[in-house]
Amino acid sequence: MKPSLLPWALLLLATVPGSGLRPAAGAQESCSQRCGNQSGPCSCHPTCFGLASCCVDVRDFCLEISPYSGSMMGGKDFVVQHLNWSNPADSVICSFKESIQTRGYVDASGRVHCVSPLLYESGRIPFTLSMDNGRSFPRSGTWLSVHPSKVSDSEKSQLVNETRWQYYGTPGTQGNLTLTWNTSALPSDTVTIELWGYEETGQPYSQEWAAAWSYLYSLATNVHNSGSFTFTPKPAPQNFQRWEVGSLRIVDSRHRAGEQDVQALWSNEHALAWHLGDDFRMDPVAWARNQCLAWEELEDQLPTFLEELPDCPCTLAQARADSGRFHTDYGCDLERGSVCTYHPGAVHCVRSVQASPKYDSGQQCCYTADGTQLLTADSTGGSTPDRGHDWGSPPYRVPPRVPGLSHWIYDVISFYHCCLWAPECFRYMNRRPSSDCRSYRPPRLASAFGDPHFVTFDGTNFTFNGRGEYVLLEAALTDLRVQARAQTRMAPEGSQDRGTGLTAVAIQEANSDVVEVRLGDGAGVLQVLLNQEVLSFAEQRWMDLKGMFLSVAAGDRVSVMLTSEAGLEISLQGPFLSVAVLLPEKFLTHTRGLLGTLNDNPADDFTLRSGEVLPPSASSRELFRFGADWAVQNTSSLLTYDSKFLVENFKKQPKHDPTFLPLFPEESPTSPSQASAAADLCGDDSFCTFDVAATGSLSVGNASRVAHMQHLLRVRSLQPVVSCGWLAPPANGHKQGERYLVGSTVRFRCNNGYSLAGAEASTCQADGTWSWPTPTCQPGRSYAVLLGIIFGGLGLVALVGLGYWFLRRRKSNTAVWGSQP
């Protein structure tokens, strides 16, 4: 064997199941307790695979697992890949977050398994593995704990007719309940069906405030694992009726009742109407009214949280474009058919991505088909803010931060009490009023796309065709950094391509995780890296990370939502990446880099690191100097170098390639035929025209045209809109019109028996005020009634006069007849 091949041979031997070739645990040549470490004679860092620098036992100690995600409710069995453990002498212990331990096992094939525990948080959970009954934990990995509503249906049991009992008390809502599940997800001959309850105890916002799941009782034991179980709900014993929110759990019958951290299937959390007592069943309205009044009393004692919530966008277009601060509410989604059960009249709702800073609350905003915000002051279908943010907030685990469940306790079950089970909805809506949008300020948008072209936050357009790694954005306000790598396109053989494009974008804010989105090896493939490790989205497309949320849509668009409410969208457009950055107004005067100085002054967008400002009329060659000046510095690079190509061409080379001479826009020659084709395709889009000339490709030019159009559309969607705020109807009257934006008119009418005092209509003006205040409806007869009385009186007088005339005439005739013989 040649000496140069020895490291590769050792690596191959290390991956063979049962191989006896292992370094001593803890040695520098080993990855035992060294995962993520690059120092030493061999690496345990994720980049080592591409660089062929791994320790030979890296897969034994830096664990890969399958599946890698599951519900935070726990009970998911996962297998440790590449680790084979024949004839174990000691027990397997899996430790999550260094404090929660579950018992693992080794199957008949020698594969090591762990079972995820019941957690009260979502996100990436570190775990370690002991193969010696807990004496040492040298192996480590990461488990992705998922919000229960984001787990696929195949991983949960389904209470298929749950709503029949959610609305218990209305006619025809009795009968059996049926629980179904995927039998392959729980391999067992017989199962036990258990009910678990969730509650939050202690004084709210105190150190004693705690969240707890509790095993209540078993509905059935030793049930055949057929995938279906039907039962007739019965009132629970009195000591269990305080739990109103819970979930059903299915486990192997071999486990003792309520045993934790075993393989299980959970149903969705839901209102436990079906297990409540006879007092609820006999008079659900009275029962629910008492619960609603008790909630109202408690709510009035708690601190108000509404003032610290972000204001809702004024229009549906703004809400969908402001992806840094708001994200689709899956309970009312336009893309999923607008099934808005709790918001009748709405077609789409969004939720604030970040919980509020002090009380960890959440904002919700709902919109009608014409894009108008729907308010609770006008309709029970309006959007309601949440005391507990539905997605929770770091560090999770304690109220009101527990994902999904705190929201159920403080916002959902109270909605059931007041609005679904009792006619007291006004009490709920008074304490959960919709935010209007009078103080909403749209974010500022900047973009980079194509060959590459830039549109700054202040709207300046320019082209910079550097090859290297560059700072798109720096903001000292939150220590936000966005960096990008630009490379030349793979041109067809025999052709010359003097254009470049973005192939990787990396983001970090303060001490958050580092996320990088880059072009993958295959055509049209995006690759996402977390702290330089490639992520898989085969199971989950949403991830809660440190300092950010990450969402992947359809494989060609990645959204990053940061704690500061800044947002990025990175998508694939043609052969290169397209980047859109959204910043809230607090970043005014705090940005620098290729995306310019956000200060509403385009004249200083070309500011160099030194502070020198190039004029807006600078030539392309001068702007090339501006771009080169913003090359990334080696000591502050966020980008990943996990291949020899990247190391040799970017890590070891100047961050801006001084040898690369691009094609400048004013020097772009085109043949007559190419110019004609470009004109037909591009019209007056100069970015498109340039890209056709620089690359010789109409498809590249078209990709830039599409990206530019998307930028312009988003800019239009984010234009500020003046709102005059909600306008109340008059007491003893009503209004027509529920749109309160500039130019909108609201009309007023009084009920019968009242007359209108004031203007019949009011229009929202450009200064944000109504042209007229809400009129009053004063007791008294309306004009119609008065006219009716007048004409009625005249008719009565005429009738009396006519009667009198007939009477006189009859008397006259009687006198004549009486004088005859």
Side-chain angles (χ1 to χ4, degrees):
M1 179 180 291
K2 295 181 180 180
S4 61
L5 296 179
L6 183 58
W8 284 103
L10 292 174
L11 183 59
L12 288 172
L13 285 171
T15 61
V16 175
S19 170
L21 183 60
R22 296 286 185 276
Q28 280 297 300
E29 293 80 10
S30 171
C31 284
S32 175
Q33 298 180 329
R34 290 187 60 238
C35 290
N37 195 328
Q38 287 179 293
S39 61
C42 61
S43 173
C44 304
H45 192 269
T47 56
C48 75
F49 295 100
L51 298 174
S53 60
C54 296
C55 295
V56 293
D57 61 358
V58 63
R59 292 189 183 275
D60 281 354
F61 289 96
C62 305
L63 304 180
E64 298 176 32
I65 60 175
S66 179
Y68 64 78
S69 67
S71 171
M72 71 179 195
M73 301 300 294
K76 188 70 171 289
D77 185 300
F78 61 86
V79 180
V80 178
Q81 304 290 300
H82 313 296
L83 180 62
N84 217 274
W85 203 263
S86 302
N87 302 317
D90 292 306
S91 297
V92 177
I93 304 295
C94 311
S95 178
F96 296 80
K97 298 197 72 171
E98 300 182 354
S99 60
I100 306 170
Q101 293 188 355
T102 65
R103 189 167 295 279
Y105 65 96
V106 180
D107 64 21
S109 302
R111 300 185 306 168
V112 179
H113 293 247
C114 289
V115 175
S116 65
L118 170 60
L119 298 164
Y120 294 80
E121 63 182 299
S122 57
R124 288 168 60 87
I125 308 296
F127 77 92
T128 54
L129 184 66
S130 171
M131 307 298 293
D132 56 10
N133 203 31
R135 290 188 292 274
S136 65
F137 289 85
R139 295 170 169 83
S140 61
T142 303
W143 170 252
L144 181 62
S145 178
V146 181
H147 188 296
S149 68
K150 292 184 172 71
V151 176
S152 68
D153 289 343
S154 64
E155 298 182 41
K156 297 184 287 189
S157 60
Q158 306 293 324
L159 198 57
V160 293
N161 47 0
E162 169 193 337
T163 54
R164 174 178 294 175
W165 283 79
Q166 277 185 350
Y167 304 102
Y168 187 79
T170 24
T173 53
Q174 302 178 16
N176 294 333
L177 285 175
T178 298
L179 187 69
T180 62
W181 64 93
N182 179 5
T183 58
S184 63
L186 189 65
S188 174
D189 293 332
T190 60
V191 296
T192 295
I193 314 295
E194 302 174 339
L195 176 64
W196 288 61
Y198 178 80
E199 62 181 342
E200 295 184 352
T201 59
Q203 180 65 31
Y205 304 105
S206 72
Q207 293 295 322
E208 291 74 36
W209 205 7
W213 274 102
S214 302
Y215 165 75
L216 303 185
Y217 54 85
S218 295
L219 276 69
T221 58
N222 294 313
V223 175
H224 177 59
N225 188 11
S226 63
S228 179
F229 172 70
T230 299
F231 63 101
T232 301
K234 298 178 181 179
Q238 186 64 38
N239 57 323
F240 293 129
Q241 289 182 16
R242 79 169 190 265
W243 282 277
E244 294 183 57
V245 176
S247 180
L248 292 169
R249 189 180 81 150
I250 309 173
V251 296
D252 191 314
S253 292
R254 292 175 295 180
H255 298 300
R256 66 179 184 274
E259 183 176 352
Q260 292 199 27
D261 305 327
V262 296
Q263 190 173 0
L265 293 176
W266 294 82
S267 72
N268 282 327
E269 69 275 17
H270 59 278
L272 299 181
W274 54 269
H275 104 132
L276 297 177
D278 286 327
D279 54 347
F280 174 71
R281 296 182 179 220
M282 292 175 62
D283 193 348
V285 172
W287 183 93
R289 179 179 285 114
N290 289 334
Q291 298 294 317
C292 179
L293 293 174
W295 168 80
E296 183 181 51
E297 182 178 353
L298 173 63
E299 187 71 17
D300 289 344
Q301 296 172 6
L302 298 179
T304 180
F305 62 92
L306 301 176
E307 287 79 3
E308 65 172 2
L309 292 177
D311 218 15
C312 282
C314 291
T315 66
L316 177 57
Q318 286 180 335
R320 300 188 75 184
D322 191 353
S323 58
R325 291 184 285 184
F326 295 92
H327 194 271
T328 298
D329 180 353
Y330 296 119
C332 181
D333 183 359
L334 191 63
E335 302 296 330
R336 300 185 182 185
S338 299
V339 182
C340 304
T341 305
Y342 298 117
H343 300 282
V347 298
H348 193 75
C349 295
V350 296
R351 290 188 182 276
S352 58
V353 173
Q354 304 293 339
S356 65
K358 184 176 181 180
Y359 295 114
D360 308 296
S361 303
Q363 183 63 278
Q364 185 191 48
C365 315
C366 295
Y367 301 88
T368 62
D370 66 355
T372 301
Q373 188 189 358
L374 188 62
L375 305 180
T376 52
D378 295 324
S379 167
T380 57
S383 47
T384 54
D386 304 318
R387 182 171 290 280
H389 195 294
D390 184 30
W391 302 334
S393 61
Y396 305 107
R397 301 195 63 79
V398 296
R401 299 172 177 269
V402 182
L405 298 166
S406 292
H407 175 56
W408 259 98
I409 292 295
Y410 283 92
D411 303 297
V412 181
I413 196 65
S414 48
F415 179 84
Y416 278 59
H417 292 155
C418 299
C419 297
L420 295 186
W421 296 342
E424 304 289 333
C425 205
F426 70 94
R427 301 182 187 277
Y428 185 87
M429 296 303 172
N430 285 344
R431 286 155 183 81
R432 294 290 189 271
S434 298
S435 156
D436 63 23
C437 67
R438 280 177 292 176
S439 62
Y440 173 74
R441 298 293 180 269
R444 306 302 181 90
L445 174 68
S447 296
F449 50 85
D451 204 37
H453 311 292
F454 299 84
V455 184
T456 70
F457 292 107
D458 292 340
T460 301
N461 296 348
F462 71 98
T463 296
F464 167 60
N465 289 115
R467 183 165 66 187
E469 295 173 350
Y470 305 95
V471 174
L472 296 185
L473 170 66
E474 287 181 352
L477 178 71
T478 62
D479 194 18
L480 170 62
R481 293 179 292 158
V482 183
Q483 300 174 0
R485 177 180 294 140
Q487 295 176 241
T488 53
R489 189 175 74 101
M490 293 299 292
E493 187 174 352
S495 65
Q496 183 179 10
D497 191 339
R498 293 173 61 190
T500 61
L502 303 185
T503 58
V505 177
I507 310 104
Q508 185 180 36
E509 186 170 53
N511 64 342
S512 75
D513 286 327
V514 178
V515 165
E516 180 177 345
V517 182
R518 69 185 184 186
L519 295 178
D521 294 333
V525 175
L526 285 185
Q527 196 174 64
V528 183
L529 294 86
L530 175 64
N531 301 325
Q532 302 187 340
E533 180 180 4
V534 177
L535 289 176
S536 168
F537 292 90
E539 298 174 22
Q540 299 296 331
R541 293 189 173 274
W542 175 281
M543 292 188 184
D544 302 0
L545 305 177
K546 181 183 178 182
M548 62 179 70
F549 293 104
L550 181 67
S551 174
V552 174
D556 62 355
R557 187 171 73 255
V558 178
S559 297
V560 181
M561 294 148 277
L562 300 165
T563 303
S564 64
E565 298 185 332
L568 290 91
E569 284 198 6
I570 303 153
S571 59
L572 192 62
Q573 291 284 0
F576 296 126
L577 297 180
S578 175
V579 185
V581 183
L582 294 152
L583 295 182
E585 278 196 337
K586 66 183 179 183
F587 281 91
L588 274 167
T589 73
H590 291 288
T591 72
R592 62 182 199 155
L594 293 183
L595 295 180
T597 307
L598 172 55
N599 60 0
D600 295 323
N601 178 20
D604 64 358
D605 276 347
F606 303 139
T607 301
L608 305 178
R609 288 181 188 268
S610 64
E612 178 189 353
V613 179
L614 300 184
S617 59
S619 69
S620 296
R621 289 183 177 272
E622 291 176 307
L623 292 180
F624 193 71
R625 177 168 71 92
F626 161 70
D629 188 62
W630 282 107
V632 170
Q633 297 173 347
N634 262 326
T635 55
S636 61
S637 176
L638 303 176
L639 293 153
T640 303
Y641 311 96
D642 56 356
S643 70
K644 290 184 177 180
F645 172 83
L646 293 175
V647 170
E648 295 297 328
N649 288 274
F650 292 97
K651 187 173 184 178
K652 294 183 177 180
Q653 298 297 325
K655 292 301 183 182
H656 170 73
D657 184 354
T659 67
F660 178 73
L661 184 64
L663 183 70
F664 294 105
E666 60 267 27
E667 303 169 2
S668 53
T670 55
S671 66
S673 60
Q674 187 183 63
S676 176
D680 292 340
L681 171 67
C682 303
D684 59 357
D685 191 316
S686 59
F687 292 154
C688 172
T689 302
F690 172 77
D691 286 358
V692 173
T695 66
S697 169
L698 290 174
S699 64
V700 173
N702 188 54
S704 292
R705 183 184 65 85
V706 171
H708 192 199
M709 289 176 59
Q710 291 175 344
H711 171 87
L712 295 175
L713 176 61
R714 198 164 200 170
V715 167
R716 287 195 295 270
S717 296
L718 290 171
Q719 285 300 304
V721 178
V722 174
S723 171
C724 294
W726 180 70
L727 193 60
N732 302 306
H734 56 278
K735 67 180 182 182
Q736 295 175 334
E738 297 176 353
R739 187 175 178 88
Y740 309 113
L741 306 182
V742 64
S744 301
T745 298
V746 176
R747 303 185 183 282
F748 307 98
R749 295 289 183 271
C750 291
N751 299 336
N752 288 335
Y754 293 86
S755 59
L756 195 71
E760 292 186 356
S762 186
T763 300
C764 179
Q765 303 175 117
D767 63 355
T769 63
W770 290 100
S771 58
W772 298 101
T774 298
T776 59
C777 291
Q778 298 178 347
R781 297 183 176 89
S782 66
Y783 293 122
V785 173
L786 289 174
L787 289 174
I789 292 174
I790 293 171
F791 284 107
L794 291 174
L796 182 61
V797 170
L799 184 62
V800 170
L802 185 62
Y804 178 74
W805 179 78
F806 274 115
L807 183 61
R808 290 288 304 270
R809 184 172 179 179
R810 182 177 180 183
K811 288 183 176 180
S812 174
N813 290 339
T814 302
V816 172
W817 293 336
S819 64
Q820 292 179 352

